[in-house]
């Protein structure tokens, strides 16, 4: 039996915390950083998309967009440092945290629907849910295919393109569920908009 | 079969299949047997123990408990110091200042107790060094603490007339070196392959001026899932695309939450030399899990009546607070697993779950997180309920209750009762304080019954060391930082101490041979009893509170 006294346990406790901290807090993350850079350099730095040597964004992080001639991402509830709304603030991720019974949830959806309808007078009723609700991260890079197709008419008209060409672009950018059963079909909005700019 | 159910079935299949080798491996490590990792990591273990001056001395329960407490105390103080000093230290590319005192205390307690309640938001508060060498270290050490306490309790059952529960230092070092560290290293790299970032450069600026926070995320995500810690690198936790970028990363992270807890059931069976005992506990956990998962996924797939009324089409289900790449299925699976375990990571905002879809994660925590549960803590929690089950069965037939040949007497049942009833007491008292004190009320962000649920969720999460939140609640106030820190401390050590005392008392007993009157504890009948006891204790304790929150909200929703 060891003594239950403090003195005998103090050394293993102090040395244990320090040594294990060095192992799990320094050696481990630095090894992961090194190995990640060696094997998956693109993912490790943030799956960045570059055009003409400039970083235009990350394939994983959505960007705010209110241009009628581009596809809009989902609403985002992220805030600025002063607490004012600033959608797609990738320095402060977060959701709206509105409860399901909170009237603000219905009001936010209605405001968003009015904004969408004001740019496309033929739109009526039946708005896709992800286009009027905020994501959990506030940085969701995706839309459901329904929400992307919903915007085809507006985008096509604003760009003076035939609707079927824009629609087929959306379909080409629709990713199926991963491995066939994980997640749902989805469209990456940033990649779609970059491809749209190439479309003549 | 719909893709959602295919995902759930494959999830359980993988979990149960992987739990067998995982459990066997952990059993060998805790018993000090050689494993395939010993040629590489053996010298590391030996070196650490020599440095600490430990020679595998036998410890009684008091020494064991003292070692655990001291280890956590020093770990917590080191973390607190680092949070206060981060501005003066390296690896702070985005220039974070020192953390406020009440928040630093709350955070240090939170990570030391395996809770990972986060009253701060990572990307605006903490330096890379504080995340890596502060938080992630406690992710490892608090999980190792859970494993060590469980090992001691299992030895109490397995050993006969013995004062010794093993050596806490050896258990802590072996758990970290052989189990947590290698698994995390592999898992972190798999996560990077899916798109989780791992870099020490500061935020990225795009051509259009968008600033994007990055960091050493993968290394932290790996241990936060495997160690059932749950503390996100970013504020949005596993909803953030850099923490959980694809449906596959989501599936694997959800698997990682329950891998060690499920495996430990087999470790238990192996160490008490009756594998059927481990399978029985695993069966009870799986049944409870399946029930909860089926309900959450069904409820979340339903449209929100408020949105239906204004003309929103909701074939995708309740999408507020959810990510498109996970959808309702991936979010429901994650929400169920994270609250069944003591993980607390979230891949969608629980505050925006439907009223009853949010009730289930809340209730899973309130049951004591024994459905798989936290690393170590889940199984020692479930063993407490098994003892209650045996005790009630014993009362019904008028025999002294026995579990695994150990007679359960007054002292054991006292310890069991304390460990089971203390967390619920803190939850209910804390919630009452949160809704009675005017200064606390201003933290509530949603009106009506949902506001009450936010407070109930916070205390349920803290006292059961979960860490997930109805995050609209403004918890970064002195009231919540201090009361929740207290709740986390009592919830963690108010369970660990009775469990270790119980282990000590059980270890001293002899093992009664099985007789015709012995209640078998590996049968479907006992599994049903165990499920019944867990549900009954949880329902009796919390139904009134749940009626005031989520049930009232559901009735008001139209």
């Amino acid at each position: 039996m060891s003594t239950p006294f403090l003195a005998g346990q103090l050394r293993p406790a102090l040395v244990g915390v320090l040594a294990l901290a060095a192992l799990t807090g320094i050696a481990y993350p630095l090894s992961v950083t090194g190995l990640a850079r060696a094997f998956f350099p693109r993912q490790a730095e943030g799956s960045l998309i570059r055009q003409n040597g400039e970083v235009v964004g990350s394939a994983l992080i959505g960007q705010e967009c209110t241009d009628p001639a581009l596809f809009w991402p989902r609403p985002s509830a992220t805030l600025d440092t002063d607490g004012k709304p600033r959608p797609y603030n990738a320095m402060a991720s977060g959701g709206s945290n509105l409860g399901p019974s909170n009237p603000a949830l219905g009001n936010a959806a209605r405001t968003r629907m009015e904004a969408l309808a004001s740019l496309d007078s033929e739109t009526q009723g039946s708005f896709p849910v992800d286009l009027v609700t905020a994501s959990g991260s506030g940085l969701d890079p995706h839309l459901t295919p329904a929400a992307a197709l919903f915007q085809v008419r507006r985008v096509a008209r604003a760009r003076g393109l035939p609707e079927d060409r824009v629609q087929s672009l959306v379909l080409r950018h629709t990713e199926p569920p991963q491995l066939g059963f994980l997640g749902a079909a989805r469209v990456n909005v940033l990649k779609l908009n970059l491809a749209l700019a190439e479309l003549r | 079969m719909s893709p959602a159910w295919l995902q759930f079935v494959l999830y359980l299949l993988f979990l149960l299949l992987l739990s067998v080798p995982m459990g066997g491996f952990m059993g060998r490590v805790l018993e000090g047997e050689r494993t395939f990792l010993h040629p590489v990591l053996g010298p590391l273990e030996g070196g650490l123990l020599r440095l600490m001056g430990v020679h595998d001395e036998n410890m009684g329960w008091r020494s064991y408990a003292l070692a655990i407490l001291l280890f956590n105390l020093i770990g917590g103080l080191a973390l607190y110091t680092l949070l206060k000093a981060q501005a003066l230290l390296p690896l702070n590319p985005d220039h974070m200042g020192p953390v406020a005192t009440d928040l630093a205390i709350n955070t240090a307690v939170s990570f030391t107790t395996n809770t990972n309640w986060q009253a701060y938001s990572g990307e605006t508060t903490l330096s890379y060094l504080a995340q890596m060498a502060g938080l992630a270290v406690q992710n490892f050490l608090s999980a190792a603490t859970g494993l060590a306490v469980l090992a001691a309790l299992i030895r109490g059952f397995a050993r006969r007339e013995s004062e010794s529960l093993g050596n806490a230092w050896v258990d802590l070092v072996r758990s970290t070196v052989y189990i947590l560290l290698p698994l995390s290293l592999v898992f972190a790299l798999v996560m990077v392959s899916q798109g989780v970032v791992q870099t020490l450069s500061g935020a990225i600026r795009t051509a259009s001026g968008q600033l994007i926070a990055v960091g050493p995320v993968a290394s932290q995500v790996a241990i936060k899932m495997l160690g059932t810690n749950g503390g996100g690198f970013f504020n949005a936790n596993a909803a953030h695309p850099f923490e959980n970028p694809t449906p596959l990363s989501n599936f694997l992270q959800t698997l990682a939450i329950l891998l060690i807890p499920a495996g430990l059931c087999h470790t238990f069976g192996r160490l008490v030399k009756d594998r059927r005992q481990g399978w029985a506990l695993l069966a009870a956990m799986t049944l409870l899990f399946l029930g909860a998962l089926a309900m959450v996924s069904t409820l979340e797939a339903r449209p929100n009546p408020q949105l239906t009324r204004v003309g929103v089409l909701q074939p995708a289900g309740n999408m507020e607070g959810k990510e498109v790449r996970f959808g309702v299925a991936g979010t429901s699976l994650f929400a169920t697993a994270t609250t069944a375990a003591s993980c607390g990571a979230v891949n969608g905002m629980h505050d925006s779950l439907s009223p009853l879809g949010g009730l289930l994660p809340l209730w899973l925590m309130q049951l004591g997180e024994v459905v798989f549960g936290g690393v170590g803590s889940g199984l020692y929690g479930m063993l407490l309920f098994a003892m209650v089950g045996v005790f009630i069965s014993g009362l019904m037939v008028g025999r002294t209750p026995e579990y695994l040949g150990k007679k359960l007497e007054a002292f054991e049942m006292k310890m069991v009762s304390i460990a089971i009833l203390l967390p619920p007491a803190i939850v209910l008292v804390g919630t009452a304080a949160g809704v009675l004190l005017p200064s606390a009320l201003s933290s509530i962000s949603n009106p009506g019954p949902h506001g009450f649920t936010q407070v109930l969720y916070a205390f349920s999460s803290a006292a059961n060391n979960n860490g997930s939140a109805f995050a609209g609640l403004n918890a970064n106030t002195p009231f919540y930082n201090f009361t929740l820190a207290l709740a986390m401390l009592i919830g963690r050590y108010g369970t660990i101490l009775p469990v270790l005392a119980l282990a000590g008392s059980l270890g001293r007993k002899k093992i009664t041979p099985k007789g015709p009157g012995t209640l078998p504890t590996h049968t479907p009948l006992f599994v049903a009893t165990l499920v019944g006891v867990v549900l009954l204790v949880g329902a009796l304790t919390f139904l009134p509170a749940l009626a005031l929150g989520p049930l009232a909200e559901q009735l008001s929703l139209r």
Side-chain angles (χ1 to χ4, degrees), chain B residues 173-187:
Chain B
V173 167
R174 283 184 185 154
S175 301
T176 310
V177 169
Y178 294 111
I179 301 173
L180 300 169
L181 197 59
L183 260 180
S184 299
L185 186 67
V186 173
F187 193 61

Side-chain angles (χ1 to χ4, degrees), chain B residues 176-414:
Chain B
T176 310
V177 169
Y178 294 111
I179 301 173
L180 300 169
L181 197 59
L183 260 180
S184 299
L185 186 67
V186 173
F187 193 61
L189 290 175
V190 174
M191 286 301 106
V192 178
S193 79
Q194 288 298 300
V196 177
V197 293
Q198 178 75 22
T199 168
L200 297 175
S201 71
I204 295 163
R205 183 182 287 280
T206 69
S208 60
Q210 189 187 27
L211 263 178
I212 304 177
V214 291
V217 180
S219 54
Q220 193 159 333
V221 164
I223 184 59
K224 93 168 189 206
M225 309 313 287
L226 289 162
T228 62
N229 300 282
F233 190 95
F234 300 109
N235 184 46
N237 208 307
H240 196 295
F242 277 162
E243 281 203 52
N244 192 1
T246 66
L248 181 62
S249 71
N250 188 58
F251 187 78
L252 295 175
Q253 287 190 15
T254 319
L255 211 52
I257 298 176
L258 297 186
L259 177 65
I260 292 179
L264 284 171
C265 292
H266 300 299
T267 308
F268 171 69
R270 181 190 163 94
L271 266 50
V272 300
K273 305 209 163 39
D274 182 356
R275 286 169 193 244
R276 296 170 307 177
Q277 303 293 340
W279 276 109
L281 297 175
L282 190 59
M285 292 175 176
T286 308
L287 281 175
L288 286 163
F289 183 81
L290 253 180
L293 176 61
M295 285 194 271
V296 174
S297 58
T298 310
L299 290 160
E300 287 307 300
R302 285 165 41 174
N304 182 332
Q306 226 199 129
L307 296 182
T308 308
R309 207 174 46 235
V310 293
V312 180
L313 270 185
Q314 302 172 70
N318 173 25
M319 283 303 286
E320 182 71 28
K322 292 192 182 64
E323 301 282 302
V324 167
R325 63 192 179 284
F326 309 138
V328 161
T331 310
S332 303
L333 182 60
F334 199 108
T336 309
T338 197
T339 49
S342 76
C343 183
V346 295
N347 75 346
M349 296 301 120
H350 286 196
D351 218 343
S352 300
L353 293 172
S354 64
L356 299 183
L359 179 147
L360 284 150
L362 174 58
W363 201 38
L364 279 170
M365 297 190 299
Q366 292 171 338
L367 296 180
E369 288 159 9
V370 295
V371 182
F372 300 105
V375 166
S377 60
L379 187 56
Y380 66 65
M382 195 52 140
L383 286 169
L384 297 173
F385 278 104
M387 286 183 254
V388 174
V390 170
F391 180 72
I392 292 174
S393 310
L395 286 182
M396 287 196 274
V397 293
R399 281 180 56 96
T400 309
E402 282 169 20
Y403 188 54
L404 306 173
K406 298 279 186 172
K407 280 201 161 56
L408 303 180
E409 294 166 296
F411 178 77
E412 286 77 41
M413 291 320 292
K414 261 186 229 164

Side-chain angles (χ1 to χ4, degrees), chain A residues 64 73-79 85-89 92-100 104-113 116 128-143 147, chain B residues 236 239 300 304 307 312 314 316-327 331 347-353:
Chain A
E64 171 66 343
R74 299 183 64 185
S76 159
T78 55
L79 303 173
R86 183 172 159 210
Y88 288 89
N89 180 2
S93 59
S96 73
N97 287 306
L98 293 175
L105 184 67
N107 293 339
R110 207 173 298 123
T111 309
R112 176 76 169 189
M113 288 158 68
L116 285 163
V129 62
D130 51 317
L131 207 48
V132 299
T133 51
S135 63
S137 62
L139 306 172
D140 195 340
H142 295 113
L143 286 174
Chain B
E300 287 307 300
N304 182 332
L307 296 182
V312 180
Q314 302 172 70
N318 173 25
M319 283 303 286
E320 182 71 28
K322 292 192 182 64
E323 301 282 302
V324 167
R325 63 192 179 284
F326 309 138
T331 310
N347 75 346
M349 296 301 120
H350 286 196
D351 218 343
S352 300
L353 293 172

